[in-house]
């Protein structure tokens, strides 16, 4: 990368970051100041700025990003936490629906309520099932990646 | 009361503030991951894939958005499952955008609201349906991975995590909607036909609880979305971007033509020995793979337990590229056999043999079954041939058996150790002489068509019978034709596919020079490999001819009544099955002519093998494999012969000398010589002809056959 | 170590042989001539020894200027440089004259090892290696099917009737190698390209210090007086099996005798 390129990249980076900051300011103005007309502009600036930052970093030489390594090393733990957090609220919702199902059926439209309970049960099963599968998959990632040679794998196949 | 809903119901100002400011994060992650890949692709060699942009764009939309190759007539499950997930996801995304337009643009800026009335009601129903498709499709995908488990599918952690994401995102959407409706109790609730019954059930809860659970679900729903979007570029979920790009920039040249190494005498790099030696489009190819495994379905090496699995070669390269590019790829887990192609195996490996093994490269028959199946137009064969070129041209490494093929090609113009002046030896078996072009030209005459015999047809004793049969058909039809005789030489097909591009170019140039000397316009050949080379590769070096395969010509002659077939032919009786040669079918799209020619014989009953037409299963002889030992896995030719026998047929109709050689060997291999035989289309037709002088075709065929055991037999060089 | 390999360009043995009836000599068409396949074994052996011990492989040939193609082939395989003895006066040389010319060049090179084929695939005299060893005063180890160099010693394995003989000699020495010594490599395209840039040192009689009378037709001690084509007669041999598979051995024995297996 030439010096000019580097300078240009530096400028784009500043512009992108500024877009994000300005966008956040507009969102605050919209939501706290009640000026909802600017919300879409704020959102647009944040998106464009984010894309700009990402693209500039992506096209740059690979560098040792310490925080990325930190994330990578903890990807199993982070994955587990994310899985738990993303599933917990729906589980609460559907479990609650099942708990109150008898009461709901007593309030007339019992057939519909029963159907609702059934749907909730299916969704609960799907959520819990996916959580279990995802956790298993993430835990498998804890196994170290072995750089097995292709020839060995070939032997296996043969 | 006009049906609508309050957008951001139950959400304080903190909601949109967090939603919009945090939106920067998935955008950064997505853009970073994509840009990182683009950066790697740009390290590839230049290649123009920006021509015919209109056609490219339409084709890309057809093949991705419209699922052109994703949903297949055979094996519908996977395709429809993908369609459900795709339609569900995209519809829900569009739905979100619609809400955004209402809440952020039309209402606050223009004071216009359209998110109400009939539109709103239909919107609700459509979104509920989309949610069902998303969840249903994703569950079907999990069912497929965990219960059906097709052999071609290998499940990684990434695959599971993505599907879990999709299911949970869909379920969250329904939960948020049901919780809101349980409080607001909209009279038009039933339009949301999935959430409505749940809302009724949930309404038994106290409102404060409902509001609390709703808030939690709302926040977690958008956060889950953001995490998912951030994950996209580091997992196979990048495929909507890479697949679209790959189809957009796919190779538009004939699939049967390999790209030559341009200006080979001056080139500095031959083939691909490093990642950067591939073209940028090939590197994009590698990143477009989403491990669907369709390339394995009709793959001869996968099906016979060989190390080569085209999917794995692509993924090995992809994992290596991710390592080299510093791209964290979200291959969370590992498949049972595929540790080597995962991200994290290290950037300091050598492309060959650490990333891709020579065994994988040499096993390929270049049959193209992988490319014909790939829904996103990944071209495996050029990748493999590119690496073979490196091994042959730079390292001088290839299976030992191939050495004699190369030296024979160099010195004698054919893979076999026969002198060129024996090329026309087979003509002695015919009653009428077959003129050579040199004589014809010396007499100042012209011929209708040049019969390109090919090396196998000239020297291999079994295939000489096909050659004789075809010549008899041409003579019976009164076609004025000639052969090149000793001036004919290999088209370069085996050398090119083995990776000896230099030798291949020399052979091709010599052949084109000979053809141009005689001003040849039209060529017929019984060899699909020669056919493909002459048709698709000779134009690269200034050889433009009309080429037809003998099955096409024979079919045409029958249709025009120029040859008469005996309906009671003893040879053409009973059940027959036809094997599509890869280089005729998949590479050149001719499936019907040979079948029609067989159908012209009423005594034959055509039975199809399970794998036919563009899903035909290779004989094992292409890509130079005919000349190599098959040391790994089980025998491809025997697998195909068994499949042919399983149709109940007693006769296998072939249309390619390579297939013929492989099947003769395969029939012996399975010990079916007594009950099963293979004949070329030309042999079947010639043996069933009623010739003008009243001679019985079958009898003559019998004579030709016994003559076929003539002493000059070509052996496979050791 | 430095190894000299003697090579020869011969008419492609797979193509029909043409003989000049007047001179009784083979018609040598440069387009249909190749590096003698028998010499490829020597080149391969030399390359493997140099890959193991380091050093240089020099290929030496005598022939018309077109014989440079055969030397290029050897260099494409990996030989470092080539010397071609070419002079009008050399035409018609017999084995002794050929050996004299080769010896003159090789003496100047001072190699540790000279490797020759057993015989050339055109005239099959098989006399040059022995004469060369004599002229150079080198020990000769013939018909080697395995060779190893350790320090200043060369060890070869050679097959004799019913046994394997192991011979050892001090370097420098001369070897003749059989086809079973090593599978010759196929030159990579890189090698072919590199060979175009490698030097071929052309020598004439004057530079070798040989007198015209010692070589060529003038210096030949032998004359070819007749050359008749062998009429090819196909002889079949019937092997009858008594049902026990006994024919298998007979067929294998036959194939071994005609050296197919």
């Amino acid at each position: 990368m030439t010096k000019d390129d580097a300078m240009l990249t530096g400028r784009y980076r500043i512009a992108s970051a500024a877009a994000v900051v300005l966008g956040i300011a507009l969102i605050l103005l919209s939501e706290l100041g009640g000026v909802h007309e600017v919300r879409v502009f704020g959102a647009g600036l944040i998106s464009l700025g984010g894309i700009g930052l990402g693209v500039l970093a992506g096209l740059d030489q690979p560098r040792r990003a310490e925080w990325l390594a930190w994330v990578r090393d903890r990807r199993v733990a982070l994955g587990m936490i994310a899985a738990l957090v993303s599933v917990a609220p729906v589980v609460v919702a559907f479990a609650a629906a099942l708990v109150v199902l008898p009461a709901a059926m007593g309030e007339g439209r019992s057939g519909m309520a029963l159907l609702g309970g059934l749907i909730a049960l299916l969704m609960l099963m799907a959520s819990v099932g996916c959580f279990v599968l995802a956790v298993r998959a993430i835990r498998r990632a804890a196994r170290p990646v072995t750089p097995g040679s292709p020839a060995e794998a070939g032997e296996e196949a043969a | 009361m006009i049906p609508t809903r309050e957008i951001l119901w139950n959400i304080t100002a903190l909601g949109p503030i967090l939603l919009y400011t945090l939106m920067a994060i998935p955008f950064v992650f997505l853009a970073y991951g994509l840009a990182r890949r683009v950066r790697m692709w740009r390290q590839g060699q230049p290649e123009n894939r920006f021509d015919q942009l209109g056609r490219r764009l339409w084709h890309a939309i057809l093949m991705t958005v419209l699922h052109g190759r994703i949903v297949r007539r055979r094996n519908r499950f996977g395709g429809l499952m993908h369609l459900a997930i795709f339609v569900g996801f995209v519809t829900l995304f569009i739905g979100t955008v619609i809400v955004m337009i209402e809440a952020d643009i039309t209402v606050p800026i223009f004071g216009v609201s359209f998110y109400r009335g009939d539109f709103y009601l239909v919107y609700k129903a459509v979104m509920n349906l989309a949610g069902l498709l998303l969840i249903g499709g994703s569950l079907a995908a999990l069912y497929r991975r965990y219960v059906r488990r097709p052999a071609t599918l290998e499940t990684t952690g990434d695959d599971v995590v993505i599907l879990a994401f999709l299911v949970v995102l869909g379920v969250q959407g329904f939960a948020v909607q049901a919780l809101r409706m349980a409080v607001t109790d909209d009279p038009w609730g039933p339009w949301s036909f999935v959430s409505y019954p749940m809302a009724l059930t949930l309404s038994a809860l106290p409102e404060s609880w409902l509001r609390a659970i709703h808030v939690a679900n709302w926040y977690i729903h958008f956060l889950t979305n953001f995490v998912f979007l951030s994950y996209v570029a580091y997992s196979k979920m990048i495929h909507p971007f890479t697949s679209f790009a790959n189809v957009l920039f796919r190779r538009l040249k004939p699939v049967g033509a390999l790209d030559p190494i341009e200006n080979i005498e001056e080139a500095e790099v031959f083939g691909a020995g490093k990642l950067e030696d591939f073209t940028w489009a090939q590197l994009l190819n590698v990143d477009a793979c989403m491990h669907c495994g369709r390339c394995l379905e009709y793959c001869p090496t996968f099906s016979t337990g060989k190390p080569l699995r085209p999917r794995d070669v692509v993924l090995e390269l992809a994992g290596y590229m991710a390592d080299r590019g510093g791209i964290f790829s979200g291959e969370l887990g590992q498949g049972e056999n595929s540790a080597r192609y995962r991200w994290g195996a290290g950037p300091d490996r050598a492309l060959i043999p650490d990333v891709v093994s020579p065994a994988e490269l040499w096993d390929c028959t270049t049959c193209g079954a992988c490319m014909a199946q790939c829904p996103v137009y990944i071209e495996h064969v050029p990748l493999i041939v590119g690496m073979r070129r490196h091994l042959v041209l730079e390292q001088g490494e290839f299976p030992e058996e191939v050495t004699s093929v190369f030296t024979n090609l160099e010195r004698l113009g054919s893979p076999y150790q026969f002198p060129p002046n024996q090329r026309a030896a087979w003509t002695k078996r015919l009653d009428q002489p077959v003129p050579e072009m040199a004589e014809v030209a010396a007499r100042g005459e012209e011929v209708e068509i040049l019969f390109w015999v090919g090396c196998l047809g000239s020297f291999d004793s079994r295939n000489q019978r096909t050659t004789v049969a075809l010549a008899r058909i041409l003579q019976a039809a009164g076609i004025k034709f000639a052969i090149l005789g000793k001036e004919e030489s290999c088209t370069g097909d085996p050398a090119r596919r083995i990776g000896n591009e230099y030798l291949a170019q020399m052979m091709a140039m010599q052949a084109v020079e000979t053809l141009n000397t005689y001003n040849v316009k039209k060529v017929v050949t019984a060899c699909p490999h020669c056919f493909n080379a002459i048709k698709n590769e000779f134009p690269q070096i200034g050889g433009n001819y009309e080429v037809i395969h003998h099955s096409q010509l024979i079919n045409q002659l029958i249709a025009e009544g120029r040859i008469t077939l005996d309906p009671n032919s003893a040879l053409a009786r009973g059940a027959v099955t036809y094997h599509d040669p890869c280089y005729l079918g998949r590479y050149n799209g001719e499936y019907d002519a040979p079948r029609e020619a067989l159908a012209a014989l009423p005594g034959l009953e055509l039975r199809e093998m399970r794998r036919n037409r563009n899903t035909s299963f290779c004989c094992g002889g292409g890509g130079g494999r005919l000349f190599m030992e098959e040391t790994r896995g089980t025998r491809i030719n025997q697998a195909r012969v068994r499949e042919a026998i399983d149709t109940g047929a007693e006769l296998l109709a072939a249309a390619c000398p390579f297939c013929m050689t492989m099947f003769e060997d395969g029939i012996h291999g399975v010990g079916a010589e007594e009950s099963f035989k293979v004949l070329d289309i030309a042999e079947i037709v010639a043996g069933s002809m009623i010739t003008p002088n009243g001679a019985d075709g079958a009898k003559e065929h019998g004579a030709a056959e016994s003559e076929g055991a003539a002493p000059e037999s070509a052996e496979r060089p050791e | 170590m430095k190894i000299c390999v003697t090579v020869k360009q011969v008419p492609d043995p797979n193509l029909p042989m043409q003989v000049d009836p007047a001179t009784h000599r083979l018609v040598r068409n440069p387009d249909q001539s190749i590096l003698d396949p028998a010499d490829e074994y020597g080149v391969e052996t030399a390359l493997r020894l140099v890959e193991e011990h380091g050093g240089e492989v020099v290929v030496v040939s005598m022939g018309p200027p077109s014989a440079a193609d055969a030397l290029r082939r050897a260099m494409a395989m990996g030989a470092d440089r080539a010397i071609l003895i070419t002079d009008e006066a050399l035409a018609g040389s017999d084995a002794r004259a050929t050996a004299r010319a080769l010896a003159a060049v090789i003496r100047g090179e001072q190699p540790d090892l000279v490797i020759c084929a057993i015989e050339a695939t055109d005239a099959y005299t098989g006399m040059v290696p022995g004469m060369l060893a004599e002229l150079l005063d080198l020990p000769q180890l013939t018909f080697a099917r395995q060779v190893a160099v350790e320090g200043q010693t060369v060890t070869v394995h050679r097959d004799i009737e019913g046994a394997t003989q192991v011979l050892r000699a001090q370097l420098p020495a001369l070897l003749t190698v059989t086809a079973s010594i090593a599978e010759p490599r196929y030159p990579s395209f890189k090698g072919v390209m590199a060979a175009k840039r490698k030097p071929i040192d052309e020598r004439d009689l004057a530079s070798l210090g040989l007198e015209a009378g010692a070589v060529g037709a003038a210096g030949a001690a032998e004359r070819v007086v007749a050359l008749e084509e062998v009429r090819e007669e196909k002889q079949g041999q019937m092997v009858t099996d008594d049902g026990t598979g006994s024919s298998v051995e007979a067929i294998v024995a036959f194939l071994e005798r005609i050296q197919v297996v």
Side-chain angles (χ1 to χ4, degrees):
Chain A
M1 198 156 57
T2 65
K3 206 175 148 195
D4 284 354
D5 285 344
M7 217 166 75
L8 210 58
T9 306
R11 279 187 195 159
Y12 283 140
R13 191 167 283 138
I14 292 168
S16 299
V20 173
V21 173
L22 183 62
I24 292 173
L26 289 178
I27 291 296
L28 291 176
L29 178 67
S30 157
E31 303 312 311
L32 300 180
V35 193
H36 291 305
E37 289 88 336
V38 299
R39 190 200 268 161
V40 68
F41 299 106
L45 282 171
I46 289 173
S47 313
L48 285 177
I51 290 171
L53 288 173
V55 166
L56 291 169
L59 291 179
D60 208 352
Q61 294 297 318
R63 70 182 87 195
R64 238 179 308 147
E66 308 251 322
W67 69 271
L68 212 64
W70 188 91
V71 171
R72 201 175 291 168
D73 291 345
R74 285 158 188 76
R75 64 186 196 273
V76 174
L78 291 172
M80 302 278 229
I81 293 168
L84 190 67
V85 171
S86 57
V87 169
V90 281
V91 169
V92 171
F94 297 132
L98 291 178
V99 169
V100 296
L101 178 61
M105 285 178 68
E107 288 175 17
R109 291 194 291 189
S110 61
M112 216 31 125
L114 184 63
L115 179 63
L118 190 66
I119 296 173
L121 178 65
L122 290 175
M123 297 229 175
L124 181 65
M125 283 164 57
S127 310
V128 173
C130 283
F131 172 75
V132 171
L133 291 178
V135 164
R136 273 182 31 179
I138 294 167
R139 280 186 56 182
R140 274 209 310 189
R143 294 206 307 231
V145 179
T146 43
S149 88
E152 277 168 42
E155 292 303 318
E156 243 171 66
Chain B
M1 197 174 176
I2 298 167
T4 185
R5 74 170 171 93
E6 183 194 343
I7 293 167
L8 294 174
W9 173 86
N10 194 33
I11 303 299
T12 60
L14 182 65
I17 291 174
L18 278 182
L19 177 71
Y20 287 108
T21 52
L22 291 181
M23 201 162 70
I25 295 172
F27 276 116
V28 168
F29 273 99
L30 187 59
Y32 176 84
L34 268 173
R36 210 108 198 96
R37 284 170 204 264
V38 170
R39 190 177 155 272
M40 288 309 288
W41 304 336
R42 287 175 56 173
Q43 293 183 8
Q45 300 300 307
E47 186 181 6
N48 182 17
R49 296 276 179 100
F50 290 91
D51 55 326
Q52 308 181 53
L53 277 175
R55 180 181 164 199
R56 288 181 176 282
L57 191 63
W58 162 239
H59 195 262
I61 292 168
L62 182 69
M63 289 303 152
T64 57
V65 179
L66 300 180
H67 279 57
R69 255 192 186 187
I70 304 172
V71 179
R72 298 180 295 179
R73 216 168 297 142
R74 292 179 184 212
N75 221 334
R76 283 202 181 87
F77 191 101
L80 292 177
M81 168 209 96
H82 186 275
L83 185 64
I85 299 175
F86 174 81
V87 169
F89 194 92
V90 169
T91 307
L92 289 166
F93 178 75
I94 294 172
T96 310
V97 173
I98 287 174
V99 174
M100 201 205 83
I101 293 173
E102 162 88 5
D104 299 351
I105 300 175
T106 61
V107 171
I109 300 178
F110 303 109
V112 178
S113 170
F114 64 87
Y115 189 60
R116 54 183 60 240
D118 290 349
F119 174 79
Y120 175 75
L121 295 179
V122 173
Y123 173 94
K124 284 283 127 183
V126 168
M127 289 304 129
N128 268 255
L129 182 62
L132 272 190
L133 286 174
L134 177 66
I135 297 173
S138 305
L139 290 177
L142 285 169
Y143 165 79
R144 187 159 162 267
R145 286 188 179 276
Y146 282 98
V147 184
R148 283 173 64 124
R149 304 170 75 130
T152 51
L153 204 60
E154 200 171 277
T155 298
T156 66
D158 183 40
D159 299 314
V160 179
V161 165
I162 287 168
L163 291 172
F165 258 125
L166 293 175
V167 171
V168 169
L169 283 170
V171 167
Q172 285 173 338
F174 281 121
V176 171
Q177 195 178 36
L179 287 160
R180 175 178 56 76
M181 283 169 31
V183 177
T184 57
D185 195 18
D186 303 332
W188 49 84
W191 286 87
S192 304
F193 59 92
V194 180
S195 308
Y196 177 67
M198 285 198 290
L200 280 187
T201 316
L202 283 164
S203 60
L205 277 172
E207 186 179 330
S208 57
W209 286 39
L210 287 171
R211 283 181 175 272
I213 303 174
H214 173 265
V215 167
N217 269 288
W218 187 89
Y219 276 97
I220 294 302
H221 181 50
F222 94 70
L223 285 173
T224 308
N225 252 313
F226 283 4
V227 172
F228 178 65
L229 291 175
S230 304
Y231 179 66
V232 160
Y234 310 92
S235 81
K236 75 164 186 187
M237 262 320 285
I238 195 72
H239 79 266
F241 299 93
T242 50
S243 300
F244 187 85
N246 199 54
V247 183
L248 186 66
F249 296 120
R250 86 190 172 96
R251 194 168 168 276
L252 292 178
K253 290 175 227 166
V255 67
L258 285 169
D259 285 330
I261 298 179
E262 302 284 356
N263 215 349
I264 191 164
E265 302 264 358
E266 263 97 72
E268 279 167 15
V269 175
F270 311 101
K274 308 187 298 294
L275 214 47
E276 299 80 35
D277 296 339
F278 291 111
T279 71
W280 67 268
Q282 287 183 302
L283 294 181
L284 167 59
N285 246 286
V286 158
D287 259 351
C289 177
M290 79 302 287
H291 339 167
C292 71
R294 289 185 180 187
C295 49
L296 305 178
E297 285 175 10
Y298 303 96
C299 173
T301 57
F302 172 76
S303 308
T304 57
K306 296 181 178 31
L308 170 61
R309 299 171 193 148
R311 173 199 62 197
D312 291 10
V313 169
V314 171
L315 292 180
E316 280 154 17
L317 294 171
Y320 182 51
M321 185 152 73
D323 277 344
R324 306 255 306 175
I327 305 164
F328 167 63
S329 127
E331 304 295 353
L332 282 172
Q334 307 165 12
E336 295 306 317
N337 304 312
S338 51
R340 67 187 189 276
Y341 61 65
R342 296 304 178 214
W343 166 84
D348 301 323
R349 296 170 288 165
L351 180 63
I352 313 168
D354 298 343
V355 179
V356 181
S357 72
E360 289 173 281
L361 297 176
W362 292 119
D363 276 347
C364 181
T365 69
T366 69
C367 74
C370 44
M371 303 194 288
Q373 288 305 315
C374 180
V376 298
Y377 289 87
I378 293 170
E379 296 217 335
H380 311 72
V381 172
L383 288 171
I384 289 171
V385 172
M387 290 183 275
R388 282 184 174 184
R389 282 176 178 170
H390 170 79
L391 285 179
V392 173
L393 299 175
E394 301 227 12
Q395 312 286 336
E397 277 175 29
F398 42 82
E400 217 176 81
E401 315 86 88
V402 170
T403 311
S404 62
V405 175
F406 287 166
T407 47
N408 289 336
L409 282 171
E410 261 175 40
R411 292 168 188 171
L412 306 169
S414 106
Y416 298 114
Q417 200 166 3
F418 284 100
N421 65 355
Q422 278 185 32
R423 268 199 188 258
W426 58 270
T427 56
K428 290 181 200 132
R429 296 187 210 165
L430 289 161
D431 300 333
Q432 300 176 44
V434 177
E436 295 190 9
M437 271 319 267
E439 308 159 23
V440 174
R443 290 198 297 266
E445 290 172 8
E446 282 191 5
V447 292
E448 262 177 73
I449 197 161
L450 175 86
F451 176 14
W452 181 277
V453 184
C455 303
L456 276 79
S458 299
F459 296 124
D460 176 74
S461 66
R462 176 64 190 85
N463 283 300
Q464 281 173 348
R465 278 146 60 183
T466 303
T467 309
V468 169
L470 178 55
R472 286 186 53 236
I473 293 172
L474 296 176
Q475 290 177 341
I479 289 178
K480 206 159 177 253
F481 73 99
I483 57 171
L484 286 169
K486 61 179 176 295
E487 289 182 278
E488 191 182 284
S489 55
C490 177
T491 59
D493 164 85
R496 173 164 258 186
R497 273 146 190 95
I498 292 171
N500 196 337
E501 178 66 12
Y502 182 63
L503 182 56
Q505 289 189 11
M506 288 200 317
M507 302 308 302
M509 277 190 274
Q510 191 184 329
V512 167
E513 204 181 297
T514 310
L515 290 172
N516 286 350
T517 304
Y518 294 116
N519 201 14
V520 170
K521 298 277 188 304
K522 192 171 178 184
V523 179
V524 63
T525 177
C527 176
H529 295 264
C530 297
F531 174 79
N532 179 66
I534 298 172
K535 183 179 173 191
N536 295 319
E537 291 181 343
F538 282 13
Q540 293 168 352
I541 49 168
N544 294 292
Y545 319 99
E546 185 194 339
V547 201
I548 60 171
H549 185 248
H550 76 314
S551 63
Q552 297 170 320
L553 181 61
I554 289 170
N555 187 38
Q556 194 187 321
L557 294 176
I558 296 172
E560 289 169 1
R562 291 177 72 178
I563 50 174
T564 320
L565 299 180
D566 176 7
N568 301 314
S569 159
L571 189 70
R573 196 168 291 163
V576 61
T577 186
Y578 170 69
H579 166 84
D580 286 284
C582 308
Y583 277 72
L584 182 64
R586 265 192 294 264
Y587 278 139
N588 290 294
E590 183 56 78
Y591 303 108
D592 296 324
R595 288 182 169 81
E596 283 167 19
L598 290 173
L601 288 157
L604 287 177
E605 179 211 337
L606 183 64
R607 294 194 186 165
E608 291 291 349
M609 288 184 261
R610 182 173 69 80
R611 297 178 283 197
N612 59 46
R613 300 178 76 93
N614 87 325
T615 58
S616 179
F617 186 75
C618 181
C619 69
R625 290 292 323 167
L626 183 75
F627 308 105
M628 301 180 205
E629 297 295 327
E630 193 172 345
T631 51
R632 292 170 283 265
T634 55
R635 298 262 163 180
I636 296 169
N637 56 351
Q638 293 180 13
R640 185 58 165 171
V641 165
R642 279 196 206 94
E643 190 179 344
I645 292 172
D646 285 346
T647 62
E650 288 169 355
L651 177 61
L652 172 59
C656 168
F658 286 69
C659 299
M660 175 62 75
T661 304
M662 295 308 287
F663 291 148
E664 284 287 1
D665 184 54
I667 290 169
H668 285 281
V670 302
E673 305 92 320
E674 299 294 320
S675 55
F676 192 77
K677 64 177 172 178
V678 53
L679 287 175
D680 190 273
I681 298 269
E683 290 180 283
I684 298 173
V685 170
S688 308
M689 270 193 314
I690 300 173
T691 43
N693 57 16
D696 181 11
K699 210 168 87 192
E700 276 188 19
H701 175 82
E705 205 168 354
S706 64
E707 255 181 279
E712 64 265 39
S713 70
E715 283 166 35
R716 285 172 64 174
E718 293 299 324
Chain C
M1 69 194 295
K2 184 195 260 187
I3 305 178
C4 280
V5 185
T6 61
V7 301
K8 184 175 185 186
Q9 189 185 40
V10 298
D12 191 334
N14 294 302
L15 296 175
M17 185 178 68
Q18 284 171 296
V19 179
D20 184 335
T23 62
H24 307 307
R25 289 184 182 282
L26 286 172
V27 176
R28 293 174 190 269
N29 176 353
D31 288 343
Q32 294 182 348
S33 296
I34 59 171
L35 170 66
D36 189 340
D39 290 332
E40 290 185 3
Y41 301 105
V43 175
E44 179 65 34
T45 309
L47 291 173
R48 290 191 188 187
L49 286 172
V50 161
E51 276 160 14
E52 190 185 339
H53 302 285
E56 184 188 30
V57 177
V58 184
V59 281
V60 183
S61 185
M62 186 181 101
S66 65
D69 290 344
L71 291 170
R72 295 260 177 239
R73 177 80 178 189
M75 290 195 290
M77 289 174 71
D80 298 280
R81 60 192 173 87
I83 301 170
L84 174 63
I85 309 163
T86 184
D87 199 308
E88 288 292 329
L90 287 165
S93 288
D94 64 355
R96 188 180 65 173
T98 307
R100 279 177 180 155
L102 291 173
V105 164
I106 295 171
R107 201 173 287 126
E109 288 291 327
Q110 297 287 328
D112 300 288
L113 208 53
V114 179
I115 303 182
C116 308
I118 292 160
E119 56 195 1
T121 318
D122 48 1
Y124 293 96
T125 69
M127 294 189 291
V128 171
M131 292 173 167
L132 200 52
E134 184 60 32
L135 289 169
L136 294 169
D137 197 21
L138 294 179
Q140 61 164 325
L141 311 170
T142 55
F143 293 92
R145 65 158 174 78
Q146 194 184 316
V147 59
V149 170
E150 240 173 87
Q152 284 301 301
T153 338
V154 57
T155 310
V156 304
H157 287 62
R158 61 201 296 276
D159 288 332
I160 54 172
E161 195 62 42
T164 298
Q165 195 177 33
V166 182
L167 296 180
R168 190 164 289 157
Q170 287 294 307
L171 293 179
L174 181 143
L175 309 178
T176 68
V177 295
T178 67
S180 46
I181 194 147
E183 187 60 34
R185 66 194 65 186
Y186 178 83
S188 73
F189 183 61
K190 272 245 148 113
V192 173
M193 285 299 159
K196 290 188 176 175
R197 292 187 296 269
K198 287 180 183 172
I200 294 184
D201 184 5
E202 285 197 14
R203 304 277 179 85
D204 56 13
L205 281 188
S207 71
L208 295 179
L210 285 172
E211 284 171 30
V215 293
E222 319 154 10
R223 298 251 180 290
V224 182
V225 293
L227 198 132
E228 285 168 33
E229 218 173 317
V230 178
R231 209 169 289 281
E232 210 177 313
E233 279 174 41
K234 277 175 186 143
Q235 261 187 339
Q237 190 178 336
M238 288 286 274
V239 180
T240 319
D241 195 293
D242 56 11
T244 61
S246 61
S247 62
V248 175
E249 274 174 41
I251 292 168
V252 170
F254 173 76
L255 292 176
E256 275 173 354
R257 198 162 68 246
I258 63 168
Q259 295 183 344
V260 175
V261 294

